């Protein structure tokens, strides 16, 4: 497994990272920890978890694997996060994470999921960053980092003050034109870059025809192409893949180690092939799930993607057959715009709702 330097730190992380948010049976700690250890055996050494993944089970599973990994004479790195808005929130999260993870020091501790620049300012005012830096002085954290869904062009606002050693962000062949400025902002400062959501929330493998331009050769699977696309970018330290089981680990390791590498020429062609509106696709991250009217926004938005990709009746077929949804549900929308405020892709959700309603076939 290729190791890459994480920014200016002395950490050498595996180019393929373990995302501990997709375990097939998260209540089965033995099976799930075995999946983590299987990845470690295969050369993966970066493990990303969070306090809220499967409630607190993900950290406990990783903590169980940590006890085994500590017995082996190979480095491994644990990443976790706090979305706390105040210093005391962050301290509480950190102490609980240390306990669940069976660690004295967390390698990568993230200021989690900065959604907007206002959110960033609020956290600064709440003392979040100072608390993280203090914890580093105390030896409880090795490398402070930040995770964000901001557009690439805004990410430099967070990185410019030099608080963090690296950034974690959603990045894939679906949204790379939207996010690559963030990768560049980190690279210019020689910071670590961790990417999440490498297959665009399943959008890439589920749309073979639309995304076939990603492939280096026709025989390549879209999963392999999506991962090789990320591997081809030296600015990326590690790409996190959410694994359900050992078989998922084996497939990704094979795609990374034996897949056809991307050429710089192919990357250039890909950029040209991406339609302008490809960076306006919903990645079904479900960050819009807290609609006060209980509208499952992401299901409508995922169906709306099909306007961009296929047009015709496909959005309605998708709503009906895949999501079992009726357009009438959208009548409950009060247009409060909460979903738009938190949308990780900054999508015009209400406009898309109108599009869905107005273009409905008459049949
Ligand atoms: S704008 Fe509509 S869909 Fe979005 S959160 Fe508000 S009520 Fe829900
Ligand atoms: S609409 Fe935005 S926040 Fe909601 S799932 Fe799609 S990308 Fe995520």
């Amino acid at each position: 497994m290729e190791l890459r330097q994480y920014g200016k730190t002395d950490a050498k992380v595996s180019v393929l990272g373990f995302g501990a948010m997709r375990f097939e049976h998260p209540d089965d700690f033995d099976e799930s920890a075995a999946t983590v250890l299987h990845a470690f055996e295969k050369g993966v050494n970066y493990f990303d978890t969070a306090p809220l993944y499967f409630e607190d089970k993900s950290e406990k599973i990783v903590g169980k694997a940590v006890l085994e990994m500590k017995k082996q004479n190979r480095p491994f790195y644990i990443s976790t996060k706090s979305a706390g808005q105040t210093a005391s929130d962050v301290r509480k999260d950190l102490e609980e994470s240390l306990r669940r993870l069976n660690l004295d020091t967390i390698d990568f501790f993230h200021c989690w999921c900065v959604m907007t620049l206002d959110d960033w300012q609020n956290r600064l005012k709440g003392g979040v960053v100072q608390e993280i830096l203090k914890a580093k002085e105390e030896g409880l954290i090795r490398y402070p980092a930040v995770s964000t869904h901001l557009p690439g062009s805004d990410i430099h606002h967070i990185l410019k003050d030099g608080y963090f050693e690296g950034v974690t962000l959603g990045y894939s062949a679906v949204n790379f034109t939207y996010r690559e400025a963030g990768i560049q902002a980190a690279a210019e400062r020689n910071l670590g870059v961790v990417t999440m959501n490498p297959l665009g929330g399943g959008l890439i493998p589920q749309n073979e025809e639309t995304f076939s331009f990603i492939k280096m050769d026709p025989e390549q699977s879209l999963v392999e192409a999506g991962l090789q696309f990320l591997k081809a970018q030296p600015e990326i330290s590690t790409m996190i893949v959410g694994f359900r089981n050992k078989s998922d680990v084996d497939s990704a390791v094979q795609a990374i180690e034996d897949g056809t590498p991307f050429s710089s020429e192919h990357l250039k062609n890909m950029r040209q092939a991406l339609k302008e509106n490809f960076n306006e696709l919903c990645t079904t991250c479900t960050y819009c799930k807290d609609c006060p009217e209980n509208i499952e926004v992401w299901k409508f938005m995922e169906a709306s993607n099909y306007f961009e990709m296929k047009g015709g009746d496909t959005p309605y077929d998708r709503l009906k057959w895949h999501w079992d949804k009726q357009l009438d549900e959208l009548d409950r929308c009060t247009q409060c715009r909460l979903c738009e405020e938190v949308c990780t892709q900054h999508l015009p959700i209400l406009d898309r709702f109108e599009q869905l309603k107005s273009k409905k076939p008459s049949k």
Side-chain angles (χ1 to χ4, degrees):
M1 178 68 61
E2 180 184 338
L3 299 178
R4 292 185 176 183
Q5 197 84 30
Y6 184 99
K8 298 189 282 287
T9 76
D10 56 4
K12 283 195 162 53
V13 296
S14 53
V15 68
L16 181 65
F18 191 110
M21 76 297 273
R22 298 252 189 277
F23 293 113
E24 197 162 33
H25 304 119
D27 290 324
D28 187 335
F29 281 24
D30 287 340
E31 177 192 286
S32 301
T35 301
V36 176
L37 292 169
H38 183 68
F40 188 48
E41 288 303 315
K42 294 274 178 178
V44 173
N45 73 7
Y46 185 96
F47 301 90
D48 180 75
T49 179
L52 299 180
Y53 294 165
F54 303 115
E55 296 157 356
D56 60 2
K57 290 177 197 150
S58 172
E59 284 194 334
K60 287 178 176 168
I61 291 163
V62 174
K64 188 174 169 65
V66 160
L67 293 177
E68 291 303 312
M69 289 193 281
K70 279 179 177 174
K71 295 177 190 165
Q72 300 188 30
N73 194 22
R74 280 189 291 136
F76 63 89
Y77 302 95
I78 303 296
S79 156
T80 192
K81 314 168 181 101
S82 169
Q85 299 287 311
T86 65
S88 59
D89 291 347
V90 168
R91 172 59 60 150
K92 184 165 169 281
D93 284 350
L94 171 61
E95 288 173 356
E96 287 176 359
S97 291
L98 283 164
R99 184 174 45 76
R100 285 192 288 261
L101 288 163
N102 295 312
L103 291 168
D104 297 323
T105 305
I106 287 169
D107 299 299
F108 296 94
F109 190 79
H110 289 78
C111 178
W112 190 11
C113 200
V114 177
M115 299 297 296
T116 62
L117 290 178
D118 285 347
D119 177 14
W120 171 237
Q121 290 304 324
N122 287 339
R123 293 200 210 194
L124 284 174
K125 280 186 208 141
V128 164
V129 174
Q130 290 313 317
E131 187 63 30
I132 290 175
L133 297 178
K134 185 167 137 238
K136 185 185 173 193
E137 289 296 308
E138 294 170 71
L140 302 177
I141 291 171
R142 205 159 276 129
Y143 308 119
V146 61
S147 84
T148 178
H149 293 293
L150 281 170
S153 53
D154 285 343
I155 289 175
H156 79 273
H157 285 293
I158 295 182
L159 301 183
K160 71 179 168 36
D161 293 327
Y163 298 126
F164 301 115
E165 299 284 359
V167 61
T168 295
L169 71 175
Y171 184 66
S172 70
V174 174
N175 69 2
F176 89 104
T177 54
Y178 166 81
R179 281 273 163 72
E180 67 177 348
I183 304 264
Q184 292 309 325
E188 281 161 17
R189 291 168 176 80
N190 196 13
L191 300 178
V193 175
V194 177
T195 60
M196 319 175 268
N197 213 359
L199 301 173
L203 203 61
I204 294 173
Q206 286 161 14
N207 294 282
E208 178 82 28
E209 200 182 320
T210 306
F211 290 103
S212 60
F213 69 90
I214 299 174
K215 297 179 182 184
M216 266 291 287
D217 70 59
E219 299 306 313
Q220 196 170 38
S221 74
L222 277 172
V223 171
E224 178 189 313
L227 298 183
Q228 287 292 335
F229 160 74
L230 296 171
K231 189 182 173 191
Q233 299 174 66
E235 303 87 354
I236 295 173
S237 318
T238 184
M239 68 186 89
I240 297 170
V241 177
F243 295 118
R244 292 169 303 175
N245 48 39
K246 291 182 183 176
S247 163
D248 279 1
V249 172
D250 291 341
S251 304
V253 169
Q254 190 178 24
I256 283 286
E257 296 200 323
D258 304 331
T260 310
F262 270 37
S263 64
S264 51
E265 186 64 23
H266 184 58
L267 273 179
K268 212 176 349 160
N269 293 342
M270 256 183 74
R271 187 175 274 104
Q272 279 168 2
L274 276 165
K275 287 193 252 167
E276 193 66 32
N277 56 13
F278 259 40
N279 54 17
E280 293 178 3
L281 293 178
C282 168
T283 59
T284 58
C285 66
T286 70
Y287 273 84
C288 51
K289 68 180 177 357
D290 292 325
C291 166
E293 303 302 319
N294 293 321
I295 296 169
E296 293 178 298
V297 175
W298 68 97
K299 296 184 178 177
F300 291 92
M301 290 300 287
E302 194 268 356
S304 164
N305 283 341
Y306 287 75
F307 275 126
E308 314 299 332
M309 295 190 297
K310 293 188 170 174
D313 292 353
T314 54
Y316 306 100
D317 292 343
R318 184 80 181 164
L319 264 184
K320 185 171 173 188
W321 301 114
H322 186 78
W323 295 118
D324 190 21
K325 283 278 157 197
Q326 304 287 334
L327 276 179
D328 297 352
E329 192 175 322
L330 296 182
D331 293 343
R332 294 206 307 274
C333 175
T334 59
Q335 308 203 337
C336 70
R337 296 194 183 269
L338 186 67
C339 52
E340 290 189 346
E341 282 166 26
V342 298
C343 177
T344 56
Q345 302 296 103
H346 302 262
L347 297 174
I349 293 173
L350 297 187
D351 289 351
R352 297 286 168 87
F353 285 177
E354 287 308 311
Q355 186 184 42
L356 271 173
K357 289 195 273 189
S358 69
K359 292 192 178 176
K360 188 172 186 231
S362 52
K363 73 175 166 88

